[in-house]
Amino acid sequence: MAGIGASSLGAIQIPGSPSGRLESFPVQGTFSRQPSPKPTPAIDRGLWITRRAIRRQLAAMPHDLFLIRLIHHATRRSFPGERLWTATQLLKPATVRFLRVRNREGCDVYIWPYAEDHNSGYILLDLDQTAPSVLETMWANGHEPCVVLQTSPGHLQAWIHISTLPLQPTMATAIGKHLARVYGGDSASTDWRHLGRLAGFTNQKSERRTGNGYAPWVKIVQARAGLARGGEALLQSVMIMPGPAGTERSSHGAISRYQSDRPAPRSQAAPLSMDAAKAKEIYQCWMQRWRISERFTQPDWSIVDLWIARKLLSQGMLAEHVQDVLRLASPHFPRRHTDPDDYLRRTVAVARARSLSLSQRSPVFREKCCARML
């Protein structure tokens, strides 16, 4: 499977890249949902069943890149290398065959929606030894999962889509622990980058084997794409939870500080920091460098805005100038935003919270970066 590995979590070799360069993609992409081909004599039935299960899981938790880890149950050793796959690559027959062979050799197959050093907005809840009615309770509370897996009889895993924006590790971990307490989940499986199982493969744990000695299949119980209705309330509740004295509570605490210090909304008559042509030149530069239009047929422009804002802030551009770039150059802006100024401030606040090193830059550097093209 050459060309699909990553040597580090911060640098991704994009499969099929003509340049072969290390690139990182800023936007949660979408992929077209196509019907699985029916098995034919030329298509192994087991392969078809596994691909269908993978397709259902990925369709319910859309993302641009997924980290796949193979861990041999008997030795507890990871298969060499951690691979990053797009949904399209993960569904290729050759890829599925590779994973099925490793699974038959005793490796458990795990997946994580990749977001560099952040959580992608998906929270994993391990519901071992919980009553089946817990799913109804979660739906009633607005914490409905996008994916529920039966990892073995009586054991469930649930992915809950909380946010379309990446979350700081402390925030994601706090939400995971909170949900585990509420629904009786495994508190040891609540860290922000905990791996979940991939549907369509067998659970190799010896204690999970059936009475006849077979490894149970990881099956999909529920699969539906969408944010949990109570996701925003969860974020707010974790924001106000008291943390240890002298420590930061969460990234959203940092965001709140920036929002409290933010300037008053821009007046309708206030001059912009640059003209529209310059703003579009900056925005399009990053669009072309990241090849957004080529790789995503329907990009989430709010996510693109966030990552461009983060990049410009990390290069020293002033927050008000970043807002102007988004205001003048973001496609179809203001789109459906009822309060465009508030949207711009929130986007820059989130990006700024993830670029705290900006404060160490010199004022001269920040001013020069307004006209700098990278």
Side-chain angles (χ1 to χ4, degrees):
M1 308 305 291
I4 54 178
S7 58
S8 69
L9 292 181
I12 307 167
Q13 185 171 6
I14 301 304
S17 172
S19 66
R21 294 178 300 172
L22 295 179
E23 305 176 40
S24 57
F25 282 84
V27 58
Q28 296 187 24
T30 58
F31 58 94
S32 58
R33 184 175 182 178
Q34 300 175 351
S36 299
K38 294 296 182 182
T40 67
I43 300 179
D44 176 72
R45 180 169 177 79
L47 175 67
W48 177 77
I49 292 174
T50 299
R51 288 183 69 200
R52 184 177 62 175
I54 295 173
R55 187 184 301 277
R56 285 189 64 195
Q57 182 169 351
L58 298 186
M61 45 192 307
H63 198 60
D64 58 326
L65 286 173
F66 296 90
L67 183 148
I68 299 295
R69 183 179 295 170
L70 304 172
I71 300 178
H72 194 273
H73 170 67
T75 63
R76 303 310 301 162
R77 298 175 107 179
S78 297
F79 193 82
E82 290 179 336
R83 287 170 167 78
L84 295 170
W85 318 73
T86 65
T88 301
Q89 292 162 345
L90 196 49
L91 286 166
K92 288 183 177 179
T95 304
V96 178
R97 287 192 186 97
F98 168 80
L99 295 176
R100 281 170 58 85
V101 169
R102 302 287 83 79
N103 188 222
R104 287 196 296 268
E105 292 174 347
C107 288
D108 288 300
V109 184
Y110 295 97
I111 187 170
W112 182 64
Y114 178 79
E116 298 185 38
D117 56 350
H118 284 66
N119 176 277
S120 60
Y122 290 92
I123 304 296
L124 178 66
L125 191 57
D126 207 334
L127 296 170
D128 281 350
Q129 305 298 337
T130 54
S133 60
V134 70
L135 296 178
E136 297 178 7
T137 306
M138 293 176 69
W139 273 84
N141 293 341
H143 301 154
E144 61 274 21
C146 59
V147 171
V148 178
L149 303 176
Q150 177 185 283
T151 59
S152 62
H155 299 269
L156 302 176
Q157 280 186 350
W159 286 99
I160 307 170
H161 197 185
I162 299 297
S163 171
T164 57
L165 298 179
L167 302 175
Q168 286 279 2
T170 50
M171 168 64 78
T173 299
I175 293 175
K177 289 186 179 297
H178 173 70
L179 291 172
R181 285 193 300 268
V182 172
Y183 299 111
D186 182 4
S187 60
S189 305
T190 56
D191 62 281
W192 62 278
R193 55 183 173 185
H194 201 82
L195 299 165
R197 289 188 179 270
L198 183 59
F201 299 92
T202 57
N203 184 337
Q204 292 293 316
K205 287 186 178 180
S206 55
E207 62 271 24
R208 297 288 186 262
R209 298 221 167 224
T210 62
N212 54 14
Y214 292 110
W217 290 94
V218 177
K219 301 177 181 179
I220 293 179
V221 178
Q222 297 176 8
R224 51 162 294 279
L227 288 168
R229 289 173 291 116
E232 184 62 31
L234 270 177
L235 294 172
Q236 296 295 331
S237 66
V238 174
M239 284 170 55
I240 63 177
M241 285 181 181
T247 63
E248 292 288 346
R249 289 181 297 182
S250 68
S251 64
H252 283 245
I255 294 172
S256 297
R257 290 199 311 276
Y258 286 121
Q259 290 177 329
S260 64
D261 296 336
R262 70 193 181 196
R266 181 191 297 271
S267 168
Q268 294 284 344
L272 297 171
S273 62
M274 64 186 71
D275 59 26
K278 185 62 177 178
K280 291 179 180 178
E281 182 183 4
I282 295 173
Y283 199 103
Q284 289 298 319
C285 172
W286 289 106
M287 285 275 295
Q288 294 169 8
R289 177 170 294 194
W290 290 325
R291 300 170 63 194
I292 299 298
S293 298
E294 299 174 34
R295 296 187 177 272
F296 303 97
T297 56
Q298 294 180 334
D300 184 335
W301 294 116
S302 295
I303 301 297
V304 179
D305 288 351
L306 173 66
W307 281 81
I308 288 180
R310 182 188 178 191
K311 175 60 69 173
L312 296 179
L313 287 171
S314 70
Q315 296 297 329
M317 183 177 285
L318 296 176
E320 63 186 65
H321 297 172
V322 175
Q323 290 187 36
D324 288 342
V325 170
L326 303 184
R327 186 193 312 273
L328 295 170
S330 181
H332 315 299
F333 188 83
R335 297 186 288 274
R336 299 179 181 178
H337 302 296
T338 56
D339 188 344
D341 286 333
D342 182 66
Y343 162 78
L344 293 172
R345 287 194 300 271
R346 286 187 291 106
T347 299
V348 172
V350 174
R352 190 177 179 186
R354 295 179 58 185
S355 304
L356 297 178
S357 61
L358 176 64
S359 60
Q360 301 173 359
R361 307 283 191 176
S362 68
V364 174
F365 179 85
R366 288 198 295 267
E367 292 295 334
K368 286 183 177 180
C369 279
C370 294
R372 182 178 173 186
M373 293 299 299
L374 301 176

